[in-house]
Amino acid sequence: MENKKILEIKNLVKDYGTKGFRTKVLRGVSLDIYENDFIAIMGPSGSGKTTLLNILSTIDHATSGTIRLNGKDITHLKNKELSKIRKDKIGFIFQDYNLLDTMTLQDNIALPLSLHGTANTNCIAKTKEMAALFGLSTHLKKYPYQLSGGQKQRGAACRALITAPEIIFADEPTGALDSKSSRDLLECLKHANEEGKATIMMVTHDAFSASFAKEVYLLNDGMIKCKLTKGKDRKEFYDRIIDVQASIGSDFV
């Protein structure tokens, strides 16, 4: 049985500038994302990968094209409706963590549940469950300044996942981490995808990070140029990603 289609993107175009001086960032991108997918979007600087993420996560608007979330066209919804979708349907993992310094890690992770009106006992139970999944059980009473970068980013991932959103958008989630912290986070996201059935779309410039995904789409000049699908071996997948990067011949930053 085929997984449910979460996102359906058709002919997405994004232009910036004024008439006569417009820059086309996305040039008719089409993409389907299904439940339990783990997709990485890669591309050189200026390829449109961050713009694509911002549009799909409702932070920005497309110039033309359509986006359907669970079959509903969200392309032209008003801000109030989009805010509700962001609260109820979408999770975010940002490069700079975005944890609140005045709250413990436990309260940061539980915040989305609190905003949904979840009972306190349920908030605590779910927070402890997520913390265990991401190796943070002994850090819940600490404040962000007492945590390493890797711990903060895993906490941010817990917060994004705790309401079981339809899809998680991760914007360069390992960009500020060292190699060990990056691997720890990616292993946790892989586990959340495989065992927790989370659907994840990640933008990254890093082939190592991308190799943890199930599929990698490479953008260049605002268009999808290539799709790579992982086999059984992550190292082999990493090598294929590197080979395609080299064939495109641009700096991936």
Side-chain angles (χ1 to χ4, degrees), residues 37-71:
D37 276 354
F38 187 172
I39 288 172
I41 305 291
M42 300 187 72
S45 179
S47 63
K49 58 185 184 295
T50 298
T51 299
L52 177 62
L53 182 78
N54 288 341
I55 291 172
L56 297 185
S57 61
T58 74
I59 294 171
D60 198 359
H61 296 278
T63 302
S64 63
T66 59
I67 305 166
R68 293 183 179 275
L69 177 63
N70 277 335

Side-chain angles (χ1 to χ4, degrees), residues 90-240:
I90 294 174
F92 298 90
I93 304 173
F94 301 97
Q95 182 175 331
D96 57 357
Y97 324 130
N98 280 13
L99 297 179
L100 298 175
D101 291 333
T102 57
M103 299 172 65
T104 64
L105 179 61
Q106 178 171 294
D107 289 341
N108 267 287
I109 294 171
L111 184 59
L113 290 179
S114 298
L115 294 174
H116 279 82
T118 305
N120 189 51
T121 52
N122 291 338
C123 283
I124 293 172
K126 186 64 177 177
T127 298
K128 288 181 177 179
E129 178 186 330
M130 294 302 304
L133 179 65
F134 280 78
L136 294 169
S137 296
T138 61
H139 302 289
L140 286 173
K141 297 303 182 182
K142 294 179 181 179
Y143 289 85
Y145 72 88
Q146 297 173 304
L147 302 170
S148 69
Q151 290 163 349
K152 285 188 280 192
Q153 191 62 304
R154 280 182 279 141
C158 288
R159 182 184 57 190
L161 286 157
I162 198 165
T163 58
E166 298 287 347
I167 187 168
I168 300 288
F169 291 105
D171 186 8
E172 297 281 7
T174 62
L177 303 180
D178 60 36
S179 57
K180 182 184 183 305
S181 297
S182 295
R183 179 184 283 273
D184 289 345
L185 174 69
L186 292 163
E187 290 284 4
C188 288
L189 290 177
K190 180 173 176 283
H191 183 71
N193 170 254
E194 292 178 348
E195 303 300 325
K197 305 303 181 185
T199 303
I200 303 169
M201 176 180 168
M202 172 175 67
V203 161
T204 181
H205 69 280
D206 177 40
F208 176 77
S209 297
S211 70
F212 282 79
K214 292 175 178 175
E215 294 177 332
V216 174
Y217 289 83
L218 289 108
L219 266 64
N220 201 15
D221 296 327
M223 297 179 286
I224 293 175
K225 298 291 188 178
C226 180
K227 173 187 174 183
L228 302 175
T229 301
K230 182 191 283 185
K232 293 184 178 180
D233 183 64
R234 190 190 61 76
K235 177 62 168 63
E236 182 274 336
F237 193 36
Y238 169 80
D239 290 338
R240 278 195 284 137

